[in-house]
Amino acid sequence: MGLSLPRLDLRAQWPADQCASRFGLATSSKISLREELTSPVFGSFSIFKDEDIEQDDLRSARTPWAVLPPPSIEPITDSFRCEVLVVGAGITGALVAERLSRQGRQVVIIDREVPSLGCTVVSTAMLLWEIDRPLFQLTQLYGFEKAVRCYHASHQAARGLRALVAQYGVACHMRPRLSLYLAADDSPNLIQDEYSVRSRADLPSLLLGHAELLQRFAIARAGAILSRDAADADPVLLTRGLLDLSLKRGARLLKANAVAYDGTASSVTVGLEDGFSIEARHVVLATGYVMPDIVRPTAQQPASSWAIATAPQADNLWPGQALIWEATQNYQYARTTFDGRIIFGGEDDHGLIQPDARDAATPTKVRVLKERLTALWPRTSSHVAFAWSGAFDTTRDGLPLIGAVPGSKNIFAAFGYGGNGITFSLLAAELIGSLLSGGSSPLLDDFAIDRDVSG
C-alpha cells in the first residue's frame, strides 16, 4: 500500500512541545471545534458553540438499546505514527474501521468519550435506502441520472450492510424489513409522483392504494409506497460488533481528543488535547455532529429530533412490522423492536439545538408523539417506557458528506447525515476504502463537502 510503518509505534516521534509548534500553538493550547453557532439556515457549520461538547449534549435520557460495559480503550502516552487514523468510534467510525481493517490496513481509532454512547445511542436504526429527499425532488434538483445514481448507491449500501452483518455474524438484532412510505394527508399525489420516478429508475417499490394499504397493514392512509431491502437493528450492538471485528484484525482503539489537524504535508499530523500527536498517512473524520474547523460544508443544517419507545406489546404490532415514514418534509417515523416495542419519532426542530432548550421541550414533544402514534396505530399501548431526544444534522439535498476534505491533503470525511445515517455510513466506508486504494467514483462529486446546492 505504499507505506512502510510498524504496526503501531508508540515511541515518541517528537517531543510534545515540537508537536504543538507544528500547529503554531503552545503545548497547553486547545483549538475550538467551532467558534460560534450560526443561525439555523442552510450553510451553518455546527450545532454547538464551544469545544466542550459532551456526549450528554448530543442526546438525553435512556434509549431501549443494549446497555453494555465500556469497551477496553487505551490512553495515549506518547506521540506515534500509523497508516490510517479514524477519528470517532460511533457507528460511522466503526464501519470505516471495519472496511479499512478488512483491506489489511493498519488502523487506529480514537475517541474522547465512550464509543457508541454519543449520537449512535439515540439513533432509531431504521436502515432505509430511501433518501430524505424524494427521488422525484432530487431529480428536479440534479437531473435524473445523478438522482438515480445516488438512490441506487443508497439501495446497494442498505443491502451491503445486511450482508456484512450476516457474513461476520454480528449480533445486533438486525432484521430484514419492508418499508412503508405513507401519504401524509388525504392526497396521494406526492407518492404517485415518487412511484412513477422510482419505476423508471428500476427501484424495488410497489404502489398501494388506500384499500390495499388498509387490508395488508391495517393503516388508514390515502396510499403508500411499499419497498423491500430495508432493515432495523440495535445500533449500540451493531457498533460494538463492528469495532470488535476491527480490533481482532489488529486495529487499536485509543482514548484521545483531537484538537488540531495539519494536512499540508504528505502525511497528516493530528494534535491531541494532551500535547501528544499522531502522524497518519490518511485521516478519516467520523465525528458525527461535532465537526473540526477544517470541514466547512455548504449544505448542512442542524436540528433536534425526539423519539419514544413503548413497553413491549407483541400482540399490538402492525402486520409485517414494516418500517414506516411519511411523505412530508418533517416526517414522523415508526418501527418495532425485537422485544415487541414500538418506536415512534419525529417532531424535528431546527430552532431547539442546545441541550437545555431541547430538554425543556421534551414533555410537550413526547405528548405530541404519543398522540400521533395513536392516530397512526390506534391499537398501541399508551405506556411509554423510554423517551429521548438527540441532535442531528441534515443537508439541503438529503445527501451525505463523503470524500476528501477541501484544502487538506489525505483527510477524508465520513458524515452520513439525515434519516439514512447508518446506511450512508456504510456507503462512506466503501467509498473511502476504494478511494484509498486508488479508486474513484462520480458519487464522490455527488457527496462532496463543498458541493453546490444552490438550486
Side-chain angles (χ1 to χ4, degrees):
M1 286 167 278
L3 187 65
S4 178
L5 291 173
R7 192 65 184 166
L8 182 66
D9 187 357
L10 289 173
R11 295 171 298 171
Q13 302 300 324
W14 44 73
D17 57 345
Q18 292 181 16
C19 166
S21 69
R22 289 171 63 86
F23 305 99
L25 304 172
T27 305
S28 60
S29 296
K30 292 175 70 177
I31 294 292
S32 173
L33 293 177
R34 288 291 175 213
E35 293 297 326
E36 61 183 314
L37 172 67
T38 58
S39 60
V41 296
F42 297 128
S44 59
F45 288 158
S46 183
I47 294 178
F48 296 100
K49 291 181 180 180
D50 56 65
E51 61 197 0
D52 298 319
I53 305 168
E54 305 292 340
Q55 285 180 331
D56 287 347
D57 295 331
L58 297 174
R59 45 83 177 139
S60 63
R62 288 182 58 234
T63 66
W65 310 129
V67 178
L68 303 175
S72 177
I73 181 166
E74 308 169 43
I76 290 178
T77 57
D78 262 322
S79 301
F80 64 88
R81 293 184 179 128
C82 64
E83 183 184 1
V84 182
L85 176 67
V86 179
V87 184
I91 182 59
T92 304
L95 281 163
V96 170
E98 188 285 323
R99 179 68 172 86
L100 298 182
S101 65
R102 186 163 20 113
Q103 288 181 331
R105 297 185 182 275
Q106 177 204 6
V107 177
V108 174
I109 313 151
I110 64 171
D111 203 307
R112 61 181 183 174
E113 299 195 75
V114 180
S116 78
L117 295 187
C119 299
T120 298
V121 75
V122 297
S123 171
T124 53
M126 292 175 57
L127 309 177
L128 296 162
W129 54 263
E130 296 146 303
I131 297 171
D132 284 348
R133 177 68 74 104
L135 178 58
F136 85 90
Q137 290 184 359
L138 203 61
T139 297
Q140 293 171 348
L141 183 64
Y142 289 134
F144 182 77
E145 181 179 355
K146 177 176 176 177
V148 170
R149 179 169 62 236
C150 294
Y151 258 76
H152 276 292
S154 184
H155 181 216
Q156 289 301 111
R159 297 181 63 185
L161 186 58
R162 286 174 51 195
L164 175 67
V165 167
Q167 179 178 354
Y168 293 103
V170 179
C172 60
H173 302 305
M174 181 171 284
R175 308 176 299 174
R177 302 282 92 175
L178 298 172
S179 73
L180 272 176
Y181 186 48
L182 297 178
D185 51 36
D186 291 336
S187 172
N189 291 341
L190 191 151
I191 61 168
Q192 289 174 344
D193 291 343
E194 177 69 3
Y195 176 72
S196 176
V197 182
R198 288 195 198 181
S199 297
R200 182 182 168 199
D202 196 27
L203 289 163
S205 299
L206 176 68
L207 184 64
L208 303 181
H210 170 76
E212 190 172 7
L213 177 62
L214 190 61
Q215 179 183 15
R216 292 186 60 174
F217 296 97
I219 293 175
R221 290 288 183 94
I225 297 176
L226 178 65
S227 301
R228 67 172 189 266
D229 295 332
D232 57 26
D234 181 320
V236 173
L237 290 175
L238 177 58
T239 300
R240 294 291 188 87
L242 293 167
L243 287 174
D244 286 346
L245 280 177
S246 300
L247 297 179
K248 289 175 182 176
R249 297 173 184 147
R252 301 291 295 275
L253 177 60
L254 306 175
K255 186 175 182 62
N257 184 17
V259 295
Y261 298 82
D262 182 353
T264 59
S266 58
S267 60
V268 182
T269 303
V270 178
L272 307 180
E273 184 178 42
D274 56 14
F276 297 123
S277 70
I278 303 172
E279 183 180 331
R281 181 69 182 87
H282 307 286
V283 170
V284 182
L285 301 174
T287 54
Y289 307 128
V290 185
M291 281 189 175
D293 256 345
I294 58 173
V295 183
R296 299 183 178 276
T298 57
Q300 180 192 15
Q301 183 180 25
S304 292
S305 189
W306 284 260
I308 57 175
T310 69
Q313 47 177 318
D315 294 334
N316 292 334
L317 307 179
W318 51 88
Q321 301 180 46
L323 308 184
I324 296 173
W325 59 304
E326 296 178 317
T328 184
Q329 182 176 359
N330 292 321
Y331 56 82
Q332 312 293 322
Y333 46 91
R335 59 161 288 192
T336 63
T337 65
F338 79 99
D339 58 350
R341 303 178 190 274
I342 294 175
I343 294 177
F344 190 80
E347 285 301 294
D348 298 357
D349 197 313
H350 296 287
L352 298 176
I353 307 300
Q354 295 295 335
D356 290 345
R358 195 175 65 230
D359 290 345
T362 294
T364 299
K365 296 287 189 178
V366 168
R367 176 179 55 79
V368 173
L369 288 174
K370 288 175 64 176
E371 293 171 353
R372 294 190 173 180
L373 171 57
T374 301
L376 173 70
W377 188 245
R379 303 179 195 177
T380 185
S381 163
S382 61
H383 178 63
V384 172
F386 300 91
W388 69 97
S389 65
F392 76 105
D393 268 8
T394 59
T395 57
R396 186 176 181 180
D397 54 10
L399 302 179
L401 305 174
I402 300 172
V405 174
S408 299
K409 294 181 181 178
N410 298 315
I411 302 180
F412 305 91
F415 296 112
Y417 287 155
N420 304 81
I422 297 177
T423 304
F424 284 159
S425 294
L426 187 282
L427 185 52
E430 293 296 323
L431 285 171
I432 291 173
S434 175
L435 192 60
L436 297 193
S437 297
S440 63
S441 170
L443 291 167
L444 293 168
D445 290 327
D446 301 338
F447 303 151
I449 295 170
D450 56 352
R451 64 180 178 268
D452 180 14
V453 293
S454 59

